[in-house]
Each structure stands twice: as C-alpha cells, then as structure tokens.
Amino acid sequence: MAVLVDTPLWPAHGRLWAHLVSDADLDELHAFAARHGIPARAFDRDHYDVPADAIDDLVAGGAERVDAHELTRRLIASGLRVTARERRGR
C-alpha cells in the first residue's frame, strides 16, 4: 500500500498542481493528507489536488513520486479510480 504523488503539470490559480492518490485505500489517503495539512476541500473523488510547493514535503513524509502515467495505472489497478463517466454522473 502506497501514497503516490505525480509531477505537477496542471495550471490553476497561478500555480501548478499535482495529484495525490493511494494505490489501495482511501482511508489511508485521507489520513496521509490530514497529517500533511492538505485540506479536505482538495479531495476530488479519488485524489487530492496538491500544489507543486507541497511535493517535497509529501515525499519526505512518505509519498512515492511517480509520473502521471504510473499514477493513473496504479490508481486504475487499485479499483479506486473514478472514471470521467462516473464524474459526469452517468
């Protein structure tokens, strides 16, 4: 079981953002995020959006740095991935 963070590539609000996910358990993800000061409002169904300036602290705290492809692959394999169709409510 691992918490993963990808490369910050997503621009919003004048910053770049990354995704923080668990490859096994949402409870683990929520606990990890809380321990590292990531607010609950940053959670989006299967991941947290985290700013680029938080990445080093998350990695120092135990998150595994991976690229976006690896993060997506492992999130899908975990069964926790919420698809675009599910996000649209279909």
Side-chain angles (χ1 to χ4, degrees), residues 1 3 13 19 23-24 31-32 46 61 65 67 70 74-75 81 83-84:
M1 171 166 58
V3 173
H13 312 290
H19 301 108
D23 68 354
F32 184 91
D46 60 4
R65 191 184 308 244
D67 64 32
E70 178 68 9
R74 289 174 63 182
L75 184 59
R81 174 77 188 268
T83 66

mmCIF file of all heavy atoms in Angstrom, residues 1 3 13 19 23-24 31-32 46 61 65 67 70 74-75 81 83-84:
data_model
loop_
_atom_site.group_PDB
_atom_site.id
_atom_site.type_symbol
_atom_site.label_atom_id
_atom_site.label_comp_id
_atom_site.label_asym_id
_atom_site.label_seq_id
_atom_site.Cartn_x
_atom_site.Cartn_y
_atom_site.Cartn_z
ATOM 1 N N MET A 1 0.850 -1.160 0.000
ATOM 2 C CA MET A 1 0.000 0.000 0.000
ATOM 3 C C MET A 1 0.903 1.233 0.000
ATOM 4 O O MET A 1 1.843 1.324 0.775
ATOM 5 C CB MET A 1 -0.885 -0.076 1.241
ATOM 6 C CG MET A 1 -1.678 1.117 1.536
ATOM 7 S SD MET A 1 -2.999 0.829 2.753
ATOM 8 C CE MET A 1 -2.150 0.247 4.176
ATOM 9 N N VAL A 3 1.110 5.727 -0.939
ATOM 10 C CA VAL A 3 0.550 7.002 -1.350
ATOM 11 C C VAL A 3 1.472 7.531 -2.437
ATOM 12 O O VAL A 3 2.696 7.517 -2.297
ATOM 13 C CB VAL A 3 0.458 7.985 -0.164
ATOM 14 C CG1 VAL A 3 0.031 9.358 -0.627
ATOM 15 C CG2 VAL A 3 -0.510 7.450 0.883
ATOM 16 N N HIS A 13 -5.121 28.822 -10.753
ATOM 17 C CA HIS A 13 -4.938 29.795 -9.671
ATOM 18 C C HIS A 13 -3.491 30.289 -9.561
ATOM 19 O O HIS A 13 -2.985 30.506 -8.460
ATOM 20 C CB HIS A 13 -5.409 29.223 -8.338
ATOM 21 C CG HIS A 13 -6.753 28.578 -8.405
ATOM 22 N ND1 HIS A 13 -7.926 29.291 -8.586
ATOM 23 C CD2 HIS A 13 -7.126 27.273 -8.361
ATOM 24 C CE1 HIS A 13 -8.947 28.465 -8.629
ATOM 25 N NE2 HIS A 13 -8.490 27.226 -8.504
ATOM 26 N N HIS A 19 -1.360 15.481 -8.359
ATOM 27 C CA HIS A 19 -2.384 14.613 -7.778
ATOM 28 C C HIS A 19 -1.751 13.726 -6.715
ATOM 29 O O HIS A 19 -0.663 13.197 -6.911
ATOM 30 C CB HIS A 19 -3.012 13.730 -8.858
ATOM 31 C CG HIS A 19 -3.632 14.509 -9.946
ATOM 32 N ND1 HIS A 19 -3.086 14.579 -11.202
ATOM 33 C CD2 HIS A 19 -4.753 15.267 -9.968
ATOM 34 C CE1 HIS A 19 -3.849 15.350 -11.957
ATOM 35 N NE2 HIS A 19 -4.861 15.784 -11.237
ATOM 36 N N ASP A 23 -2.784 3.794 -3.683
ATOM 37 C CA ASP A 23 -2.930 2.656 -4.597
ATOM 38 C C ASP A 23 -3.710 1.522 -3.946
ATOM 39 O O ASP A 23 -3.768 0.424 -4.480
ATOM 40 C CB ASP A 23 -1.578 2.171 -5.118
ATOM 41 C CG ASP A 23 -0.699 1.532 -4.074
ATOM 42 O OD1 ASP A 23 -1.063 1.543 -2.869
ATOM 43 O OD2 ASP A 23 0.370 1.014 -4.435
ATOM 44 N N ALA A 24 -4.341 1.804 -2.772
ATOM 45 C CA ALA A 24 -5.058 0.716 -2.098
ATOM 46 C C ALA A 24 -6.243 1.145 -1.235
ATOM 47 O O ALA A 24 -7.193 0.392 -1.119
ATOM 48 C CB ALA A 24 -4.086 -0.081 -1.231
ATOM 49 N N ALA A 31 -5.988 10.047 5.700
ATOM 50 C CA ALA A 31 -5.139 10.195 6.885
ATOM 51 C C ALA A 31 -3.805 10.840 6.519
ATOM 52 O O ALA A 31 -3.313 11.731 7.228
ATOM 53 C CB ALA A 31 -4.915 8.837 7.548
ATOM 54 N N PHE A 32 -3.213 10.392 5.413
ATOM 55 C CA PHE A 32 -1.939 10.962 4.958
ATOM 56 C C PHE A 32 -2.108 12.449 4.654
ATOM 57 O O PHE A 32 -1.294 13.279 5.078
ATOM 58 C CB PHE A 32 -1.444 10.208 3.720
ATOM 59 C CG PHE A 32 -0.093 10.660 3.240
ATOM 60 C CD1 PHE A 32 1.055 10.042 3.699
ATOM 61 C CD2 PHE A 32 0.034 11.700 2.332
ATOM 62 C CE1 PHE A 32 2.312 10.450 3.267
ATOM 63 C CE2 PHE A 32 1.277 12.118 1.890
ATOM 64 C CZ PHE A 32 2.425 11.494 2.368
ATOM 65 N N ASP A 46 -11.269 10.698 -6.070
ATOM 66 C CA ASP A 46 -10.273 9.627 -5.954
ATOM 67 C C ASP A 46 -8.862 10.157 -5.753
ATOM 68 O O ASP A 46 -7.909 9.391 -5.719
ATOM 69 C CB ASP A 46 -10.324 8.691 -7.169
ATOM 70 C CG ASP A 46 -10.042 9.394 -8.491
ATOM 71 O OD1 ASP A 46 -9.716 10.608 -8.490
ATOM 72 O OD2 ASP A 46 -10.164 8.742 -9.542
ATOM 73 N N GLY A 61 7.508 12.910 3.655
ATOM 74 C CA GLY A 61 6.593 12.259 4.579
ATOM 75 C C GLY A 61 6.197 10.848 4.184
ATOM 76 O O GLY A 61 5.417 10.202 4.881
ATOM 77 N N ARG A 65 7.026 9.478 -5.369
ATOM 78 C CA ARG A 65 6.928 10.342 -6.546
ATOM 79 C C ARG A 65 6.914 9.470 -7.800
ATOM 80 O O ARG A 65 7.805 8.635 -7.990
ATOM 81 C CB ARG A 65 8.112 11.303 -6.591
ATOM 82 C CG ARG A 65 7.973 12.400 -7.615
ATOM 83 C CD ARG A 65 9.223 13.264 -7.681
ATOM 84 N NE ARG A 65 9.645 13.769 -6.411
ATOM 85 C CZ ARG A 65 9.673 15.060 -6.073
ATOM 86 N NH1 ARG A 65 9.286 15.959 -6.937
ATOM 87 N NH2 ARG A 65 10.093 15.425 -4.885
ATOM 88 N N ASP A 67 5.429 9.428 -12.229
ATOM 89 C CA ASP A 67 4.904 10.266 -13.304
ATOM 90 C C ASP A 67 3.391 10.047 -13.419
ATOM 91 O O ASP A 67 2.822 9.132 -12.806
ATOM 92 C CB ASP A 67 5.628 10.017 -14.626
ATOM 93 C CG ASP A 67 5.455 8.616 -15.183
ATOM 94 O OD1 ASP A 67 4.399 7.993 -14.978
ATOM 95 O OD2 ASP A 67 6.387 8.149 -15.866
ATOM 96 N N GLU A 70 2.187 6.504 -14.525
ATOM 97 C CA GLU A 70 2.303 5.487 -13.479
ATOM 98 C C GLU A 70 1.229 5.695 -12.409
ATOM 99 O O GLU A 70 0.620 4.737 -11.934
ATOM 100 C CB GLU A 70 3.697 5.522 -12.849
ATOM 101 C CG GLU A 70 3.905 4.537 -11.730
ATOM 102 C CD GLU A 70 3.921 3.083 -12.164
ATOM 103 O OE1 GLU A 70 3.940 2.790 -13.375
ATOM 104 O OE2 GLU A 70 3.914 2.204 -11.280
ATOM 105 N N ARG A 74 -1.604 2.830 -11.599
ATOM 106 C CA ARG A 74 -1.743 2.230 -10.274
ATOM 107 C C ARG A 74 -3.085 2.568 -9.635
ATOM 108 O O ARG A 74 -3.649 1.749 -8.899
ATOM 109 C CB ARG A 74 -0.566 2.628 -9.403
ATOM 110 C CG ARG A 74 0.688 1.893 -9.909
ATOM 111 C CD ARG A 74 1.961 2.264 -9.263
ATOM 112 N NE ARG A 74 2.026 1.973 -7.849
ATOM 113 C CZ ARG A 74 3.087 2.273 -7.113
ATOM 114 N NH1 ARG A 74 4.158 2.844 -7.664
ATOM 115 N NH2 ARG A 74 3.091 2.004 -5.819
ATOM 116 N N LEU A 75 -3.623 3.740 -9.920
ATOM 117 C CA LEU A 75 -4.946 4.094 -9.401
ATOM 118 C C LEU A 75 -6.017 3.210 -10.030
ATOM 119 O O LEU A 75 -6.903 2.701 -9.343
ATOM 120 C CB LEU A 75 -5.240 5.571 -9.663
ATOM 121 C CG LEU A 75 -6.548 6.118 -9.100
ATOM 122 C CD1 LEU A 75 -6.618 5.950 -7.589
ATOM 123 C CD2 LEU A 75 -6.716 7.576 -9.486
ATOM 124 N N ARG A 81 -10.137 4.225 -8.909
ATOM 125 C CA ARG A 81 -10.266 5.262 -9.942
ATOM 126 C C ARG A 81 -11.728 5.577 -10.207
ATOM 127 O O ARG A 81 -12.553 4.692 -10.389
ATOM 128 C CB ARG A 81 -9.605 4.796 -11.249
ATOM 129 C CG ARG A 81 -9.786 5.722 -12.439
ATOM 130 C CD ARG A 81 -8.855 6.916 -12.334
ATOM 131 N NE ARG A 81 -9.086 7.930 -13.336
ATOM 132 C CZ ARG A 81 -8.489 8.002 -14.503
ATOM 133 N NH1 ARG A 81 -7.617 7.080 -14.860
ATOM 134 N NH2 ARG A 81 -8.744 8.982 -15.327
ATOM 135 N N THR A 83 -14.020 7.148 -12.981
ATOM 136 C CA THR A 83 -13.909 7.450 -14.401
ATOM 137 C C THR A 83 -14.587 8.772 -14.744
ATOM 138 O O THR A 83 -15.400 9.291 -13.968
ATOM 139 C CB THR A 83 -14.555 6.340 -15.253
ATOM 140 O OG1 THR A 83 -15.968 6.342 -14.997
ATOM 141 C CG2 THR A 83 -13.956 4.974 -14.943
ATOM 142 N N ALA A 84 -14.277 9.303 -15.918
ATOM 143 C CA ALA A 84 -14.918 10.535 -16.402
ATOM 144 C C ALA A 84 -16.430 10.346 -16.482
ATOM 145 O O ALA A 84 -17.188 11.248 -16.113
ATOM 146 C CB ALA A 84 -14.336 10.942 -17.737
#
